[in-house]
Amino acid sequence: MTKGLTMHTDRRQFLAGTAATAALAAAPLRAQIGATPASPLKPLFDGLVQAQLRRSPEGATQLGLDTGANADLRAKLSDQSATARAAAKAQTLAQLGQLEAIDRRALSADEQVDLDSVLYTLRSAAAVQRFDFGGSSYGPSPYVVSQQSGAYQSIPDFLDTKHPLNTKADADAYLARLRAFATQLDDNSERMRHDVGVGVVPPDFILDLTIAQMEKTALPAEQALVVQSLARRAAAKGLGDDYGRQAAAIYTAAVLPALQRQFAYVRAVRRTAKHDAGVWALPQGAAFYPVALRATTTSALSPEEVHRFGLDQAASIGARLDAEMKRQGYTKGTIGERLVALAATPGQLYPNTDAGKAEAIAYCNSRLDAIRGRLPTVFERLPSYKFEVRRVPPQTEAGAAAAFSQSPAIDGSRPGIVYFNLRDARDWPRYDLSTTVFHEGLPGHQLEGGLALSNTRLPLIRKIGSNFSGYAEGWALYAEQLADELGMYADDPAGRIGYLAAQLFRANRCIVDTGLHHYRWTRERAVQQFRDAVGYTESRAGGEVDRYCVNPGQACSYKLGHSTFVAVRDHAKAKLGPRFDLKAYHTAVLRYGRLPLEVLQRVGDAWVASA
C-alpha cells in the first residue's frame, strides 16, 4: 500500500510501479519525465519529480534514480525534522498554487487526467498536513512511531535490501546513511514527544508490539542487522573488513544510543497509555479519520456509508461462499467455523518451522508460474521484469502486514519482492495462499505497477508520485477475481473457497475499520469480527486490527476500489454488448497508471463512449 508528494516517507512510498523495460531503464532521467514534448505540464512535473526525489532519498534509491545529478542522494536519508516538515507543508501549498493556475482548456484529454491525478495527491497531502501530529505507514498515520511506522523498523531493512553495495563509493554511502539513521531516530523521538504532549498516544497494545520489535532492533553491534549487512556484503565484493569495523563504530557511538533513547521513551509512554483502539479517542481524531479515509481510498463516501457498504458486500459474498462450501461438503456451522475446519484438513497447514515456511514460499512461486502463461489471453501488454516471494524478515514479523509487495529498482538490478509474514505458519492455510499471490504478484500489484512504470506516455511523476490505494488495492482485488475467471481454481476447489473468503475478508475490513475509528469499537470486538466472519486465528485477526489502528482508512480502499473496477466493466458490458473486449477494457483502465477512483470512473465512461 503508496503515498507520495507529502512530507512523509513510508515503506510503500515510490511503489507506484515495478520494473522498467530495458529501454526505459537506460534512458536519462529528463527523458523519462515529460508528459508530451510540448506539454505545458512538463516543466511543472519536472520540478515535482525533482522535489520528490530530493525529499525522499530512500525512494530515489529504491527506484534506482539516485544516479547522475541525484547521485548524492545515495548517501542520504530523508530529513524528518520539524524544520523539514514545515518546509514540506509550504512546498505542497506552493505546488498546488502552480498547478491550480493552469488553464485546463489548453490541455489534451490525457493531460487533464494527469493534472487531475497530481492535483488530487497534493490536495490530499495538504489536508493531512493540517493535522500537526503523526507520521506515515501505508498512508497517513496518527503515530510517528509504532509497529509499522518509524525509522527504527524501516531503515534496517532498507539498508539491507535496497541500498546497493557494489563499489567503495556505495559502501561509503552506506556509512553516511548509517550516521543519518541516528539523526532520523532522534527526529522521530522528538516528533513523538511533541505528539504525546498534545495527547496523541498510541494504544497500549500498539506500544507493546513496538517494544517487542525494538527489542529485536536495539542490539549490540555484533548482532545488529545494519552492521552485519555492510560487513558481509563489503567482504563479498572484495572491499575488505574495515567497512564492518567502521559500521560497528558508528552504530555503537551514535545509532545504538539513539535507539536506546527512543526505546526508553516508548517504554515510559507505555506506562500511561490507554487501551482505546480508534483515532476517535485522540484530540482531533474525529476530524482526522474522514481525511485519512478519503486520502487512502480516494472515495468521497462518509464513514457511515463505507460501513453500510461493507455490511452489504459481506452479506452478498457470504451467500456465494456459503453455497461454494456446501458444494464441497462443508455444511455445518458458521462460515468462520467451516473455514477453520477446512484449514484443519490434511495438507492445508504447513509445519510451523523454517523448513515448512520455505515450503509455503515455494508453493507461492509455483502459483505465479502457473498463471503467467494465461495472462496474454486477457492483456494486450505485459511488463518485462523479475520478482520473487520472500518471508518478512523475522525482526519485523511482529508488526508487519500479513502480505505486501515492494517494487524493484527502475533499472531491474533488484527484483520486485512479494513478502509473506510467516511469523506463524498456522496463519496461512494453503487455501489462502494462491489468491494472495495473485493479489500481490500477477496479475495484481506487480503487473499493474510494471505496466505503469514501462508506459512511455506516462509522466514520471505519475509513475512514482502517488499511491491512490483505492486504485492500487482495488485492482489487486480485481486481479484475484480475474484469476478465478481464468480458471486458476478449476482443479483447486479449496483455493476457490480461499478466494471467496478473501473477498469476504475485504468487505469486513470496511466494517472493522469504520467500527474502530468511527463507531468506537474495542480491539477485542474488532478481532472477534474477523474470527467469526472468516475464521481467522487470534494471531492473524489481531495483526490485521493492529494494522488498522495505525493506518486508519486504508483497509477500506480494497473493496471500494474493487467495486469501481467491476462497475466500470459491468457498465461497458451492458453498453457494448458483443463488442465488449476484455483486453481492451484492461488496456483502458490501466492506460493512465494509478488514478483517484473518481477519475478512474470518468476514464471508464469516456472509453465506453468512444468504443
Side-chain angles (χ1 to χ4, degrees), residues 153-474:
Q153 56 85 37
S154 64
I155 296 302
D157 179 66
F158 167 77
L159 288 175
D160 182 44
T161 64
K162 308 301 184 302
H163 182 96
L165 215 161
N166 298 304
T167 66
K168 181 180 182 301
D170 291 340
D172 290 337
Y174 188 111
L175 292 176
R177 278 180 156 165
L178 193 57
R179 296 184 188 94
F181 180 26
T183 302
Q184 270 198 352
L185 287 165
D186 283 336
D187 285 342
N188 284 177
S189 297
E190 187 60 30
R191 176 69 164 174
M192 189 176 185
R193 286 188 181 88
H194 165 274
D195 292 355
V196 169
V198 297
V200 178
V201 180
D204 52 10
F205 55 89
I206 293 298
L207 291 174
D208 288 340
L209 285 172
T210 306
I211 289 169
Q213 290 188 170
M214 285 184 165
E215 288 174 343
K216 297 179 180 179
T217 304
L219 301 172
E222 61 271 17
Q223 300 175 42
L225 176 63
V226 292
V227 174
Q228 298 310 311
S229 176
L230 178 58
R232 182 186 70 253
R233 292 194 287 154
K237 291 294 182 178
L239 301 176
D241 299 329
D242 192 52
Y243 279 108
R245 287 191 287 269
Q246 290 185 66
I250 294 168
Y251 178 84
T252 301
V255 176
L256 184 57
L259 280 168
Q260 291 171 334
R261 287 191 292 272
Q262 188 172 100
F263 193 5
Y265 184 66
V266 170
R267 284 186 292 188
V269 172
R270 169 62 181 86
R271 288 195 287 270
T272 58
K274 297 180 180 179
H275 196 65
D276 296 324
V279 297
W280 61 267
L282 305 177
Q284 301 184 67
F288 181 79
Y289 182 56
V291 171
L293 184 66
R294 182 170 177 80
T296 53
T297 66
T298 69
S299 166
L301 294 181
S302 68
E304 295 89 347
E305 290 170 325
V306 173
H307 194 80
R308 171 51 56 189
F309 168 80
L311 291 170
D312 291 344
Q313 287 288 307
S316 174
I317 299 166
R320 292 172 60 199
L321 180 55
D322 175 65
E324 185 69 25
M325 296 190 80
K326 286 177 178 176
R327 278 194 290 271
Q328 302 304 322
Y330 293 92
T331 59
K332 296 182 180 180
T334 65
I335 285 177
E337 290 168 343
R338 282 178 278 170
L339 287 170
V340 170
L342 173 59
T345 58
Q348 282 296 327
L349 291 181
Y350 290 93
N352 198 30
T353 63
D354 285 341
K357 294 170 183 180
E359 186 181 354
I361 295 298
Y363 175 73
C364 291
N365 280 309
S366 73
R367 297 305 288 160
L368 286 173
D369 291 340
I371 200 171
R372 285 181 193 273
R374 305 190 190 196
L375 299 179
T377 65
V378 291
F379 291 97
E380 294 175 346
R381 187 170 73 91
L382 295 171
S384 174
Y385 60 90
K386 296 180 181 179
F387 71 98
E388 60 193 51
V389 179
R390 295 182 186 175
R391 282 181 62 183
V392 169
Q395 66 268 19
T396 57
E397 284 179 337
F404 54 93
S405 184
Q406 286 189 348
S407 71
I410 198 169
D411 61 359
S413 60
R414 186 189 65 253
I417 303 169
V418 172
Y419 281 107
F420 275 78
N421 190 338
L422 297 178
R423 60 187 171 190
D424 189 339
R426 291 167 295 187
D427 290 343
W428 282 107
R430 183 183 176 114
Y431 72 75
D432 211 12
L433 290 173
S434 289
T435 198
T436 308
V437 168
F438 302 144
H439 177 108
E440 301 291 350
L442 300 173
H445 286 312
Q446 295 286 347
L447 183 143
E448 169 262 317
L451 288 176
L453 199 58
S454 58
N455 183 340
T456 57
R457 190 217 67 82
L458 202 61
L460 187 59
I461 190 63
R462 293 276 295 106
K463 299 176 185 182
I464 68 173
S466 56
N467 174 22
F468 300 142
S469 185
Y471 182 103
E473 302 301 348

Side-chain angles (χ1 to χ4, degrees), residues 29 93 102 146 164 192 216 314 341 415 417 432 496 504 547 556:
L29 176 61
L93 294 177
I102 292 174
S146 71
M192 189 176 185
K216 297 179 180 179
I417 303 169
D432 211 12
R496 188 164 196 277
L504 179 60
R547 169 183 161 185
C556 303

Side-chain angles (χ1 to χ4, degrees), residues 2-6 8-15 56:
T2 20
K3 187 175 162 86
L5 293 175
T6 76
H8 305 304
T9 301
D10 63 70
R11 77 180 71 184
R12 291 203 164 198
Q13 191 173 23
F14 280 84
L15 304 184
S56 177

